[in-house]
Amino acid sequence: MKKEEILEKARKENKQKDLACIEAENKAVKIAAIAMVFLATIYYALGIMITGKTNYGWYSMIALYCAIVFGIKGIKTKNKFEIICGIIWFLSAVIMIYSYISNLISTSTIL
């Protein structure tokens, strides 16, 4: 096979994207996700420091992100430790989501 044939076959398999483009997209997604977690953590900490209250909504986003990252990576690599971490983070996310919604309902002025 010639170099051009191999390249064409790879592009067909990757829906007309070359490997460099796929890697750039993967890196961009990772950086964006890390930035989102970083900003959510800052908001979470500021909420506690300024208002003295815990906003479980911010923490649930962080926990859900970690659950997805650990879960998918653990399943793909068949790493039991990462699967367990993903499950723990998922349970934490569910608890935080429940706490956030419960807090919204209990402090609501229209309900």
Side-chain angles (χ1 to χ4, degrees):
M1 269 188 166
K2 293 183 181 179
K3 183 179 176 182
E4 289 78 23
E5 291 173 1
I6 295 171
L7 246 153
E8 188 60 36
K9 186 176 179 181
R11 284 190 182 126
K12 284 180 184 176
E13 288 176 4
N14 295 317
K15 299 176 185 165
Q16 294 298 328
K17 295 181 182 177
D18 61 7
L19 190 56
C21 182
I22 293 170
E23 288 297 319
E25 285 177 1
N26 286 339
K27 189 169 186 173
V29 167
K30 288 177 185 176
I31 292 171
I34 291 169
M36 183 199 72
V37 169
F38 183 71
L39 189 60
T41 304
I42 290 172
Y43 288 165
Y44 177 74
L46 283 174
I48 292 172
M49 288 186 272
I50 294 171
T51 65
K53 297 178 185 175
T54 302
N55 184 339
Y56 292 107
W58 289 113
Y59 192 74
S60 69
M61 290 185 343
I62 296 167
L64 184 61
Y65 168 79
C66 291
I68 292 169
V69 168
F70 280 104
I72 291 174
K73 188 174 178 186
I75 290 168
K76 294 269 185 187
T77 62
K78 297 182 183 355
N79 184 331
K80 290 181 183 179
F81 177 74
E82 291 191 4
I83 292 172
I84 292 169
C85 286
I87 291 168
I88 292 169
W89 276 113
F90 178 74
L91 293 174
S92 298
V94 169
I95 291 168
M96 294 302 156
I97 290 167
Y98 174 78
S99 299
Y100 181 68
I101 292 172
S102 295
N103 187 32
L104 281 177
I105 292 169
S106 67
T107 59
S108 174
T109 57
I110 61 171
L111 293 178

